[in-house]
Amino acid sequence: MKTFPFPPHWIFLAYLVLTFYCLGAAVMNEFVEYQSWADLSPYLSSADFAAWHLATAQYTVPFLTVPAILLSGVLVLLYWHLPPAVPRAALWLAVACHVVFWLSTVLVQWPLEGALSQGSFSPDLMERLLRSDWVRKGLLLVEAPLAIYMAHRALRPANGAEVGWPVGPSRLPVPSQRQPGSLAGAKPISS
């Protein structure tokens, strides 16, 4: 059987990090980029706004689009490498959030931003972009607590057992069946 180049716990950790990064980046994008467009657009001509939009949009790709694509890819990898304690229903809910996120991005946000890049600015167009982007942020706001729940399930001790020491490098801790208050089997921390 072929082994995957990354240990499963790294895939889950990447999912957690990317989820919260994408949520933070989406909220930052709202308050920095979209609000500045709305605030400055009355002072610019449609052609100037389109040039400004094109110039600034290139910076969002590495900080917003690429991490969102990576997050969706990591989520797909979790289908095969989901920690056993995490219910599949949580994974399917996260996948549903991503499907709606990308549908909204491709069918709503990108066409609206394309119209802005072509000089079709109007306050109504900007308002639709701002409102519709909250669909995507709302989905990330649903996924963030879901990711916390999945992390809680993945990291909590199984069946009330205490978590023992890792069995080797790059391995997750394993549940041990020690008696409460017992230090039997505990390894000292070496400096």
Side-chain angles (χ1 to χ4, degrees):
M1 182 174 167
K2 202 182 221 186
T3 60
F4 194 71
F6 300 107
H9 64 275
W10 283 108
I11 296 168
F12 190 70
L13 181 62
Y15 169 71
L16 293 174
V17 169
L18 284 167
T19 296
F20 290 100
Y21 173 86
C22 287
L23 175 60
V27 171
M28 182 65 72
N29 187 55
E30 167 74 21
F31 295 110
V32 173
E33 188 174 36
Y34 285 177
Q35 288 301 321
S36 65
W37 291 353
D39 294 343
L40 293 175
S41 59
Y43 303 103
L44 300 173
S45 69
S46 290
D48 288 341
F49 184 85
W52 181 37
H53 180 265
L54 281 172
T56 60
Q58 67 181 334
Y59 299 113
T60 62
V61 171
F63 295 106
L64 287 172
T65 309
V66 171
I69 291 169
L70 288 174
L71 175 57
S72 295
V74 167
L75 189 61
V76 168
L77 288 175
L78 280 179
Y79 177 78
W80 292 281
H81 301 286
L82 190 67
V86 177
R88 285 263 174 211
L91 176 66
W92 288 116
L93 182 57
V95 168
C97 286
H98 279 260
V99 168
V100 175
F101 176 94
W102 284 110
L103 286 172
S104 176
T105 298
V106 171
L107 300 176
V108 179
Q109 273 75 36
W110 286 352
L112 290 173
E113 291 211 27
L116 291 173
S117 295
Q118 295 171 358
S120 301
F121 177 81
S122 71
D124 179 55
L125 181 67
M126 193 67 219
E127 182 62 30
R128 284 189 310 179
L129 180 65
L130 290 170
R131 263 195 332 264
S132 64
D133 193 52
W134 276 99
V135 169
R136 297 188 305 176
K137 280 191 268 311
L139 292 164
L140 289 169
L141 287 168
V142 167
E143 189 174 2
L146 183 62
I148 291 170
Y149 167 74
M150 292 193 305
H152 171 72
R153 290 295 303 255
L155 299 175
R156 75 180 180 151
N159 298 327
E162 294 182 30
V163 175
W165 294 91
V167 247
S170 75
R171 305 283 258 159
L172 289 174
V174 294
S176 65
Q177 297 301 322
R178 299 186 316 199
Q179 297 297 322
S182 167
L183 294 177
K187 297 180 184 177
I189 299 175
S190 57
S191 332

